[in-house]
Each structure stands twice: as structure tokens, then as C-alpha cells.
Amino acid sequence: MTHSQARERTAAELARVGIVLTPAERESIEIADFGLGDFERAGLAIVVYVNTERVCAKELVLLPRQTCPEHRHPPVDGEPGKEETFRCRDGSVHLHVEGNEEIVLQPGDQFTIPPDTLHWFEAGDAGAIMSEFSTRSTDENDVFTDPRITR
Amino acid sequence: MTHSQARERTAAELARVGIVLTPAERESIEIADFGLGDFERAGLAIVVYVNTERVCAKELVLLPRQTCPEHRHPPVDGEPGKEETFRCRDGSVHLHVEGNEEIVLQPGDQFTIPPDTLHWFEAGDAGAIMSEFSTRSTDENDVFTDPRITR
């Protein structure tokens, strides 16, 4: 799957569940493969609605069984790390959070991940669409467990 | 329209556009009339997904031509006031923000309101569903222009 195909698939999935994007948003969908070069296994597609100094909101779209690798959001410049709430909109997500049993999110379910807490997630067999509500997002500060990963 | 009817109508509208709520969320939909006792004219229905010390996300559902009265979010305890991004999901919204011409939001359109900035909005003829992404929400600190309003 090329990045262009992944972008088209993401826009189609969001349209299927009634999420409307502007043309500019459709063109700027981020196809993240974490530098591992195996998007269909480890990756996700991201629409950033807003990312100010204080607030960030995104949609995350995952292929069936696609995985976002383990990482955490450490404190930066004296501020606590990024705090994230994931809310499942469609499909399902298996969420793994340091100190918790596996959490399965179905549509309408959500979970808030505290700052600086290791987490990773995998879409179920039908893929997943998740909304993310968080503090400011700064990929360059994320700490991944797999040392091969770059953001 | 009773509060119970307004809550049912809100859940039905959200279901219509594919937004899934848990049973607990459906029961806790807030029907806000700002103490004016005329919900169908001045009011809105609110689903709060999350409201932590740092981040808040909601859905706002408005009847045709229903209005949220003018208010601002002032600084509190040395923190800047609440910053809000409104994103239209369905219908349309006429947004009035201090220092701006009228802004019309259609599905996919959004606008970020800086802290401590007067604003009010009115749904279009088909009503409106809007997502709100913001810093912490604390109704008791909101300052409304109409002195009769209580939150």
C-alpha cells in the first residue's frame, strides 16, 4: 500500500462513519510508519484537527490488526508529559497501558492515559477509528521502546 | 420539550450521524437552558466525553436556530481562560466572535476561540452538531453578557 493509497483508504473510512474532512485535511492525512518501513503492520493514519500550545485533537485510523508501537510521553520543559484520551468510534482497539490488564475499546468506549506512561495498541480484525483528545502533541519528544523507531 | 425529551432527541441526533454513546453517557446528557427557562430558543445539549485538569472534549447538539448566549472564559487562578475549538459535524453554526465578522461553520469547518474572548453562536435551520476540543471546562467561571444568566 503506497502512502497515497493509505491516505485514500483513510478518507474513505472516515467518510463511511460520517466524519467530514475538508479537502485540505484529506490531503494532509499523515501516514506514520515510525521509520520501520512496514506500515501495514506497524503504523497508523492520523488527521490532526487542532494542535495549539494547550490542546490537541486528532482522528486515528488503523487497518485490521495494525499496531502503534509502545511509547510514552515524558515531561518537557518542566511541563508534565502529554495526556491522551482515546475514544473508539468504529471497529475495536486492544489497548495496552503500563500497570493495567489489556483494555478492549469498542465504539463509545474510551480510556485516558496519564503522562509518561508506557502504552501501545492494536486494532481488532475490522480495523479501528479512534478520536484522540490531548494536551499539545510534539512527536519529537515521544520515547519509543523499540530503539529502531524514529518520529 | 421536557428535559427528558431533549435528551432523547439529542441521543437520536448523535446516533443519526454515527456517534456512539454508552448508556451512561446517554443518561447524563446535559440539557442547558442558562437559567432562562426557554430551552428551545436559548440552550444546547451537551455530552462531556472527558474533562480533566488539562483537557476537555464534548459534543454540542443544537435545535434549529437554537442559540448559546454571549459569554467569555476569563483567566482563573493565574491560568489563561479556557481555549475552545468548535468543529461542525452536522448542520451548520453561525458563530459570532469578538473582533470577527460572522463565521459560518459547515460540516468539516472549525474555529478556535482564544481565552477571554466574547462569543455566541446560533444553529442554522437544520440544527447543528459540533465537537468541542478545549482546556478544562469550569462552567462556574464563565462570564455571560446577559446578567439574568446563571450556570
Side-chain angles (χ1 to χ4, degrees), chain B residues 65-141:
Chain B
R65 291 291 161 190
Q66 201 178 23
T67 293
C68 176
E70 187 178 74
H71 65 285
R72 60 186 171 85
H73 307 285
V76 177
D77 295 335
E79 291 284 310
K82 184 185 181 210
E83 174 198 295
E84 297 173 333
T85 297
F86 293 124
R87 183 176 178 92
C88 182
R89 298 292 188 176
D90 188 76
S92 63
V93 178
H94 297 252
L95 180 59
H96 302 261
V97 181
E98 189 181 355
N100 291 267
E101 302 281 313
E102 183 188 67
I103 300 147
V104 181
L105 301 179
Q106 307 280 352
D109 295 335
Q110 64 182 42
F111 190 86
T112 299
I113 295 169
D116 208 15
T117 303
L118 281 169
H119 59 286
W120 65 278
F121 50 88
E122 178 179 12
D125 290 336
I129 300 177
M130 280 207 295
S131 299
E132 179 186 319
F133 314 122
S134 75
T135 55
R136 179 169 176 74
S137 179
T138 57
D139 291 342
E140 67 276 16
N141 294 313

Side-chain angles (χ1 to χ4, degrees), chain A residues 100-132:
Chain A
N100 291 268
E101 302 281 313
E102 183 189 66
I103 300 147
V104 181
L105 301 179
Q106 307 280 352
D109 296 335
Q110 63 182 42
F111 190 86
T112 299
I113 296 168
D116 209 16
T117 303
L118 282 169
H119 59 285
W120 64 279
F121 49 88
E122 178 180 12
D125 290 336
I129 299 176
M130 281 206 295
S131 299
E132 179 187 318

Side-chain angles (χ1 to χ4, degrees), chain A residues 37-53:
Chain A
D38 189 6
F39 173 73
E40 290 172 52
R41 196 184 59 82
L44 74 168
I46 305 168
V47 177
V48 180
Y49 290 139
V50 60
N51 188 22
T52 72
E53 283 298 315

Side-chain angles (χ1 to χ4, degrees), chain A residues 17-22 25 49-50 52 54-55 57 59 80-81 83 85 87 89 107-110 112 115 133-135, chain B residues 17-22 25 49-50 52 54-55 57 59 80-81 83 85 87 89 107-110 112 115 133-135:
Chain A
V17 301
I19 294 176
V20 180
L21 302 183
T22 62
E25 286 170 337
Y49 290 139
V50 60
T52 72
R54 302 167 76 193
V55 175
E59 303 289 354
E83 174 199 295
T85 296
R87 182 176 178 91
R89 297 292 188 176
D109 296 335
Q110 63 182 42
T112 299
F133 314 124
S134 75
T135 55
Chain B
V17 301
I19 294 177
V20 180
L21 302 184
T22 62
E25 286 170 338
Y49 290 139
V50 61
T52 72
R54 301 166 77 194
V55 175
E59 302 291 354
E83 174 198 295
T85 297
R87 183 176 178 92
R89 298 292 188 176
D109 295 335
Q110 64 182 42
T112 299
F133 314 122
S134 75
T135 55

